[in-house]
């Protein structure tokens, strides 16, 4: 559930999501009348940003403002995101940074970057972990989930996962997909879009736990094929398996 850096230091892998912001509409501030959406994330001193749990809708009268109170958590600052009057959640942009336990009044002001982590949570504890196409893929029980392409610290739990019938014992990456092994079957998730990959069984034999390995791109190539990413593991019948692109499993 954490990160070990190349120099041996311990680092963060995801942050706890702060609660829905404590925000209220007030009579002064200079905003246009309307309904504003407000969201909040936590930002660590290293720059790692959390997800945002949800938004809160605030009714503001003409000329009014929005008052936001930050949680009292230590070691982080909070980023407050805001829409324009009557704007949707996809318009949330950075309005201000706020220290723990303090209060800020938001009025008319330039808004910054878009909020990209709405509904994201920190990655779940996992037993298998690989990287593939700019994301981290991990297995937690019988679920394989993947992180956002924007940050390895964000997981969208309602959409970013694939479900299997039993505990996942192996994850391995090939050029165009991910191999997933259970105790009695092996599957392949194929495709460039992780939200729309083809999930199919490629072997009726399972994968031994913790037996997967990356192998060089240019070995065990068939005639005329190009070097590409492939992986290897031991199956539950004791055979070495090579997972090639396209979901092709070879037993040398």
């Amino acid at each position: 559930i954490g990160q070990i850096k190349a120099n041996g230091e311990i680092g963060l892998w995801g942050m706890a999501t702060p609660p829905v912001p404590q925000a209220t509409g007030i009579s002064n501030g200079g905003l246009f009348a309307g309904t504003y959406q407000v969201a909040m994330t936590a930002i660590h001193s290293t720059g790692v940003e959390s997800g945002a749990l949800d938004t809160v809708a605030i009714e503001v009268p003409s000329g009014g403002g929005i008052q936001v109170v930050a949680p009292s958590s230590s070691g982080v600052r909070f980023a407050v995101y805001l829409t324009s009057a009557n704007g949707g959640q996809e318009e949330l942009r950075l309005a201000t940074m706020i220290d723990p336990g303090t209060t800020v009044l938001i009025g008319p002001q330039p808004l910054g970057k878009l909020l990209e982590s709405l509904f994201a949570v920190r990655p779940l504890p996992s037993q298998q972990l690989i990287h593939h196409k700019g994301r981290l893929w991990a297995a937690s029980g019988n679920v394989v989930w993947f992180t956002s392409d924007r940050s390895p610290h964000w997981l969208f739990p309602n959409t970013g996962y694939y479900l299997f019938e039993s505990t996942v014992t192996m994850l391995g990456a090939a050029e165009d997909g991910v191999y997933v092994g259970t105790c009695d079957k092996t599957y392949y998730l194929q495709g460039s879009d992780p939200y729309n990959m083809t999930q199919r069984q490629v072997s009726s034999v399972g994968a031994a736990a913790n037996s997967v390995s990356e192998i060089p791109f240019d070995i065990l190539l068939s005639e005329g094929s190009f070097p590409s990413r492939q992986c290897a593991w031991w199956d539950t019948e004791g055979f070495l398996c090579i997972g090639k692109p396209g979901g092709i499993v070879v037993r040398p």
Side-chain angles (χ1 to χ4, degrees):
I1 60 173
Q3 175 192 167
I4 303 176
K5 301 180 181 180
N7 61 4
E9 293 181 355
I10 301 300
L12 290 173
W13 188 23
M15 291 182 61
T17 305
V20 173
Q22 183 181 338
T24 54
I26 57 177
S27 59
N28 62 296
L31 289 174
F32 291 111
T35 302
Y36 292 78
Q37 302 285 334
V38 184
M40 178 182 290
T41 65
I43 299 183
H44 192 263
S45 58
T46 59
V48 175
E49 185 171 14
S50 75
L53 185 63
D54 202 349
T55 61
V56 58
I58 304 296
E59 292 287 342
V60 177
S62 179
I66 299 173
Q67 180 176 282
V68 180
V69 180
S72 58
S73 304
S74 60
V76 298
R77 298 188 76 203
F78 296 94
V80 180
Y81 291 83
L82 184 69
T83 66
S84 58
N86 304 315
Q89 293 179 336
E90 70 281 357
E91 299 180 18
L92 284 159
R93 289 185 175 273
L94 179 63
T96 187
M97 298 291 297
I98 184 171
D99 292 323
T102 59
T103 301
V104 65
L105 172 62
I106 301 176
Q109 61 192 63
L111 298 179
K113 69 182 183 74
L114 279 168
L115 173 61
E116 298 176 316
S117 61
L118 183 61
F119 307 126
V121 300
R122 70 185 305 174
L124 303 175
S126 59
Q127 293 76 51
Q128 311 291 332
L129 182 68
I130 61 170
H131 65 90
H132 177 66
K133 302 294 185 182
R135 303 173 190 261
L136 292 175
W137 291 70
S140 181
N142 66 331
V143 178
V144 173
W145 51 260
F146 51 88
T147 60
S148 167
D149 61 339
R150 301 290 183 177
S151 172
H153 302 281
W154 298 341
L155 168 65
F156 292 94
N158 294 329
T159 57
Y161 70 94
Y162 288 88
L163 193 63
F164 295 85
E165 78 282 354
S166 60
T167 299
V168 174
T169 58
M170 182 275 293
L171 286 180
E175 189 67 29
D176 62 350
V178 175
Y179 284 94
V180 181
T182 66
C183 63
D184 58 357
K185 295 176 184 175
T186 303
Y187 297 87
Y188 194 58
L189 300 173
Q190 185 173 3
S192 57
D193 180 1
Y195 291 96
N196 293 288
M197 300 177 87
T198 301
Q199 178 179 339
R200 72 180 194 275
Q201 181 180 326
V202 292
S203 175
S204 59
V205 181
N210 304 314
S211 66
V212 72
S213 176
E214 294 278 336
I215 62 175
F217 288 17
D218 59 350
I219 67 170
L220 299 173
L221 296 177
S222 57
E223 184 176 352
S225 61
F226 293 95
S228 57
R229 189 177 185 186
Q230 50 190 346
C231 58
W233 67 90
W234 294 97
D235 67 23
T236 52
E237 292 182 350
F239 287 91
L240 175 67
C241 297
I242 308 299
K244 293 182 171 294
I248 300 172
V249 179
V250 178
R251 285 174 162 181

